[in-house]
Amino acid sequence: MFAGDAPRQVWGPEQLRLAVDAACVSLWSWNLADDRFAMDERAFDLWGLPWSDRVTFAELSAHIHPADRDRVQAAFNATRSVPGPYEIDFRIMIGPDIRWVSARGQAAELDAPDVPMFGIFLDVTGRKQAEEGSELLAGEMSHRVKNLLAIATGLTQLTSRSSATVEEMTGQLTQRLTSLGRAHDLVRPLPGAQGKAALLGDLMAVLLSPYDDTGAFAGRIRVAVPRMGVGEATATTLAMVVHELATNSVKHGALSMPPGSLDVTGRTDGGEVIITWAESGGPEVVDEPQMAGFGSRMIQRSIASHLAGSLTYDWQKTGLVATLVMQADRLGK
């Protein structure tokens, strides 16, 4: 039997409903004459609305994210004058939650304005979150590579000032870059929840060891923090903070000059742990830098979400004084 001789499949209402359910598709129609939306039960669940035989476009618009509302309204209004298929993605708000919805439909022909429009809603929240995660990861990787290059340049210059011979410089630079590699491992979480809690002071010592001097200005980085353990997630966040602050210091701050020094101190206050990063002896601070780059935003977000804390900057003439506040009960995580 040839393929053309096969019996033709008949798609009835039940088969179509099974296909729609399998694809998790929500159906809707829009009557432009009276602005009435008709939707199936899945669509009402998607929008977080109680079932009703009538809902207007204005009522649906109230649930669209304010940043997307004008764009969605303009796109739907354009279907009145531009016939044919269309598609638009936007966010809707269901209480405190945000969902991504893809609306696809077929606009009515211009010579048939009274014919309702038909379309579907798709919940594409998972896909959008994956895309945002990929963009964040790409940005983070680009930022870290640039930081590592800047740090390597700064460490090379630092080593050249304290070395008398090429051999001595090679040995010191190799040691510093090796320490930098050990510290960089702390920036990324280990798979499978590997690793145990470490002492806060030991963690700081490892993170800052690549930047200390071994020549005439040895010991210019001083650490005095409370004896307390930190968990793996906390260590990762702290490593990101220290790397960002140290990179800026090597490029522009106290660690960019031979006499510059850094004091990292800590104390507890009630349920909070307060870490102070104080630079001195570097270039005089004339204009307050704007800490609005990718690295700064990423760190602020990590501190807020993982440590329930904050990081503030005080740009004094003698150097930066940064204050990191963390909740003590988060440190062990």
Side-chain angles (χ1 to χ4, degrees):
M1 178 182 293
F2 294 101
D5 296 332
R8 186 175 182 180
Q9 177 67 48
V10 177
W11 289 86
E14 183 60 26
Q15 287 78 14
L16 289 175
R17 170 51 62 182
L18 290 174
V20 166
D21 289 341
C24 296
V25 170
S26 306
L27 305 179
W28 58 264
S29 66
W30 183 23
N31 192 322
L32 301 179
D34 59 3
D35 192 33
R36 177 181 176 180
F37 254 85
M39 306 191 301
D40 63 5
E41 292 184 7
R42 191 188 301 275
F44 279 96
D45 290 340
L46 175 62
W47 285 79
L49 296 174
W51 166 258
S52 173
D53 60 355
R54 175 185 175 90
V55 60
T56 65
F57 182 73
E59 290 172 336
L60 288 180
S61 296
H63 294 269
I64 297 176
H65 194 285
D68 296 342
R69 191 170 298 153
D70 291 344
R71 177 173 60 87
V72 174
Q73 289 179 339
F76 271 78
N77 289 333
T79 61
R80 300 173 185 264
S81 56
V82 182
Y86 65 91
E87 178 180 349
I88 184 172
D89 295 351
F90 54 91
R91 291 163 292 180
I92 61 175
M93 303 180 67
I94 312 298
D97 299 326
I98 295 179
R99 296 176 184 171
W100 275 96
V101 173
S102 179
R104 306 174 186 180
Q106 178 76 31
E109 298 297 329
L110 297 180
D111 58 354
D114 296 333
V115 177
M117 297 169 50
F118 294 92
I120 64 169
F121 291 131
L122 288 174
D123 187 344
V124 293
T125 305
R127 172 169 64 83
K128 288 293 185 179
Q129 290 176 341
E131 291 174 355
E132 292 173 354
S134 297
E135 293 176 359
L136 179 62
L137 178 60
E140 181 179 342
M141 290 301 297
S142 175
H143 174 75
R144 288 189 182 180
V145 169
K146 291 178 181 178
N147 263 5
L148 285 174
L149 291 174
I151 290 172
T153 300
L155 293 181
T156 302
Q157 295 173 348
L158 177 66
T159 306
S160 66
R161 293 196 296 262
S162 59
S163 303
T165 65
V166 173
E167 291 76 13
E168 185 180 353
M169 177 178 174
T170 302
Q172 291 184 14
L173 183 58
T174 300
Q175 183 179 1
R176 280 199 170 101
L177 292 177
T178 301
S179 299
L180 180 62
R182 290 168 50 215
H184 185 67
D185 284 339
L186 295 172
V187 180
R188 60 180 179 85
L190 297 175
Q194 300 176 27
K196 302 295 182 181
L199 289 177
L200 179 60
D202 293 343
L203 175 66
M204 289 294 182
V206 172
L207 293 172
L208 291 171
S209 62
Y211 310 99
D212 206 354
D213 211 321
T214 57
F217 298 98
R220 64 177 183 158
I221 298 179
R222 297 173 290 271
V223 178
V225 295
R227 183 179 177 84
M228 57 179 55
V230 295
E232 183 179 341
T234 299
T236 300
T237 302
L238 286 177
M240 293 171 60
V241 174
V242 171
H243 268 295
E244 187 72 16
L245 292 174
T247 300
N248 291 331
S249 184
V250 167
K251 291 164 60 177
H252 312 293
L255 298 183
S256 68
M257 299 181 65
S261 63
L262 168 65
D263 286 278
V264 179
T265 59
R267 60 185 176 88
T268 58
D269 185 2
E272 296 180 336
V273 178
I274 302 171
I275 304 295
T276 302
W277 172 289
E279 300 181 23
S280 60
E284 181 179 349
V285 178
V286 179
D287 297 319
E288 179 176 325
Q290 297 298 317
M291 306 297 289
F294 177 85
S296 298
R297 296 197 306 271
M298 181 177 62
I299 284 175
Q300 294 287 2
R301 183 166 55 247
S302 297
I303 293 172
S305 60
H306 296 155
L307 304 177
S310 62
L311 177 64
T312 58
Y313 302 91
D314 180 11
W315 296 95
Q316 301 181 9
K317 286 187 177 182
T318 54
L320 169 65
V321 177
T323 303
L324 171 64
V325 179
M326 306 172 289
Q327 295 300 313
D329 58 358
R330 297 289 188 96
L331 261 64
K333 298 181 178 180

